[in-house]
Amino acid sequence: MQVAVFSSKPYDQQFVETANGPYGFALTFFEPRLTIETVGLAQGFETVCVFVNDRLDAAVLERLHAGGTRIIALRCAGFNNVDLPTVERLGMKVVRVPAYSPHAVAEHTVGLILTLNRKIHRAYSRVREGNFSLQGLLGFDLYGRTVGVVGTGQIGAVVAQIMLGFGCRVLAFDPFPNADLLSRKVAYVALDRLLAESDIVTLNCPLTAQTRHLVNADSIERMKQGVMIVNTSRGAVVDTPAVIDGLKSGRIGYLGLDVYEEEANYFFEDKSDDVLADDVLARLLTFPNVIVTGHQAFFTHEALTSIAETTLQNVADVAATGSCKNEVRSSPAKK
Ligand code: NAI
């Protein structure tokens, strides 16, 4: 089986090649993202293996199909970048890695919370300049604070448990409450109430039509003064210009983003020699109370090992049986 691996960095190649031992697929690694401009590279590959910022819209899928591709193997959980109705119409298969290390993403989420609160990013630079002043570094105890978790699937559930460990009151919003969390004193409430009562709002839901711009001018207005918002889900869950307004007015006191709506042009690349052309991202980076990380929440040894192994097993399953437990369909059955 010929597999074209797009968006592949040296670390992807390392982990995927290691996992390929038992499978023996013929792997070809392409560094560019899969887009309409690069889709020609996939000509003749039965499987393409892609990541979060590869664009599998109708035009790309048509070209892939015409070139002989039948299997799309996502090296990620989210599948918002794939036009599923077109996949189904063309009779292709899409497989994903539904859970690789929820701990990786949850722990990074908590890392952002701690860093924003205790201003560790500012302390790091300050101390290296010989400035040991504490002025401006005042934080708050997490103990006793209210944390609102939007989306309590694999990742959100771990975030909720960690925050319970800090002694926080945890509110949750999810159309499908998690029984285990309910038994651990997590209170499922309406989204409006979660937004109104939370000191920290963490976004751990997928990007769907319902969650696109869930954080917008209107919902920000309903949040607590000085709220902390952390988004490690998908960029478009947040309306970025609206959060910039919220930061300028002080309604939002802290913002942690691992994902950004327009990240595809920047994230995973070294752009340090370029002029930053995205004015929204540039503005975000000026705030002392904003931390942006470049979609690295998943980036742990355990997660990359699990992603590589599951991805190749998914391909093997589809090749052998025509189906796979990790197949993505237009209307996925709820777990
Ligand atoms: P999951 O599928 O286990 O959980 C998602 C949860 O969100 C489900 O319980 C679902 O019922 C809930 N949900 C769906 N619609 C909702 C809505 N309108 N409001 C509130 N909750 C809603 O997914 P998992 O593994 O927890 O991942 C969540 C998201 O995190 C992924 O979809 C992906 O976008 C993102 N992610 C980000 C990574 C990163 O490196 N920053 C890595 C992995 C995932």
Side-chain angles (χ1 to χ4, degrees), residues 3-7 28-48 63-64 67 69:
V3 182
V5 187
F6 280 85
S7 294
T28 304
F29 293 90
F30 295 111
E31 191 168 353
R33 289 195 294 132
L34 177 61
T35 62
I36 195 68
E37 288 79 25
T38 62
V39 67
L41 294 168
Q43 174 76 30
F45 285 89
E46 191 178 348
T47 296
V48 296
R63 290 276 303 277
L64 286 174
T69 301

Side-chain angles (χ1 to χ4, degrees), residues 191-230:
L191 181 61
D192 271 353
R193 185 170 157 209
L194 180 151
L195 298 179
E197 294 186 15
S198 296
D199 299 295
I200 299 169
V201 174
T202 166
L203 303 170
N204 299 109
C205 52
L207 174 60
T208 64
Q210 291 72 41
T211 62
R212 179 174 295 275
H213 289 185
L214 183 145
V215 172
N216 56 37
D218 183 50
S219 56
I220 292 167
E221 205 45 48
R222 285 179 276 133
M223 294 184 197
K224 269 187 158 176
Q225 184 69 22
V227 65
M228 179 189 294
I229 301 173
V230 175

Side-chain angles (χ1 to χ4, degrees), residues 19-321:
N20 192 38
Y23 300 98
F25 294 131
L27 305 171
T28 304
F29 293 90
F30 295 111
E31 191 168 353
R33 289 195 294 132
L34 177 61
T35 62
I36 195 68
E37 288 79 25
T38 62
V39 67
L41 294 168
Q43 174 76 30
F45 285 89
E46 191 178 348
T47 296
V48 296
C49 178
V50 295
F51 196 45
V52 291
N53 289 327
D54 292 295
R55 187 171 303 163
L56 292 115
D57 57 18
V60 169
L61 289 166
E62 301 270 9
R63 290 276 303 277
L64 286 174
H65 187 261
T69 301
R70 294 294 177 266
I71 303 171
I72 294 157
L74 295 163
R75 304 196 297 282
C76 53
F79 48 87
N80 50 284
N81 53 337
V82 185
D83 179 343
L84 292 178
T86 303
V87 164
E88 254 167 46
R89 179 169 58 74
L90 295 171
M92 299 165 90
K93 299 278 180 193
V94 178
V95 289
R96 67 173 182 136
V97 186
Y100 36 91
S101 172
H103 303 284
V105 184
E107 288 168 14
H108 189 78
T109 303
V110 177
L112 288 173
I113 292 171
L114 288 169
T115 306
L116 285 165
N117 173 19
R118 305 307 295 269
K119 301 163 181 70
I120 295 167
H121 55 305
R122 301 187 69 194
Y124 172 82
S125 315
R126 193 181 278 199
V127 166
R128 288 169 74 97
E129 295 288 324
N131 177 355
F132 300 94
S133 161
L134 300 185
Q135 190 63 39
L137 301 185
L138 192 65
F140 58 84
D141 284 9
L142 286 172
Y143 179 83
R145 294 289 178 143
T146 301
V147 178
V149 184
V150 179
T152 53
Q154 311 270 353
I155 295 167
V158 178
V159 172
Q161 284 168 32
I162 296 173
M163 298 320 291
L164 285 174
F166 278 109
C168 295
R169 169 181 175 238
V170 178
L171 302 179
F173 173 71
D174 192 309
F176 300 91
N178 172 321
D180 184 48
L181 291 183
L182 279 168
S183 70
R184 290 171 193 249
K185 299 207 173 73
V186 169
Y188 279 87
V189 296
L191 181 61
D192 271 353
R193 185 170 157 209
L194 180 151
L195 298 179
E197 294 186 15
S198 296
D199 299 295
I200 299 169
V201 174
T202 166
L203 303 170
N204 299 109
C205 52
L207 174 60
T208 64
Q210 291 72 41
T211 62
R212 179 174 295 275
H213 289 185
L214 183 145
V215 172
N216 56 37
D218 183 50
S219 56
I220 292 167
E221 205 45 48
R222 285 179 276 133
M223 294 184 197
K224 269 187 158 176
Q225 184 69 22
V227 65
M228 179 189 294
I229 301 173
V230 175
N231 184 14
T232 57
S233 60
R234 285 291 181 266
V237 176
V238 165
D239 177 353
T240 319
V243 295
I244 288 175
D245 287 344
L247 286 158
K248 286 160 75 176
S249 73
R251 167 71 64 178
I252 299 173
Y254 313 80
L255 177 69
L257 299 180
D258 186 52
V259 286
Y260 167 57
E261 195 163 2
E262 305 299 332
E263 70 178 49
N265 295 329
Y266 295 94
F267 285 15
F268 309 123
E269 304 301 330
D270 179 358
K271 299 280 188 184
S272 55
D273 288 332
D274 300 351
V275 169
L276 185 52
D278 182 327
D279 290 347
V280 175
L281 180 57
R283 183 68 177 101
L284 272 182
L285 299 179
T286 65
F287 293 98
N289 50 350
V290 171
I291 297 179
V292 178
T293 53
H295 207 138
Q296 72 171 82
F298 73 100
F299 200 57
T300 67
H301 187 96
E302 290 77 4
L304 289 194
T305 303
S306 175
I307 287 170
E309 288 173 353
T310 305
T311 299
L312 297 182
Q313 185 61 50
N314 287 343
V315 175
D317 287 348
V318 175
T321 67

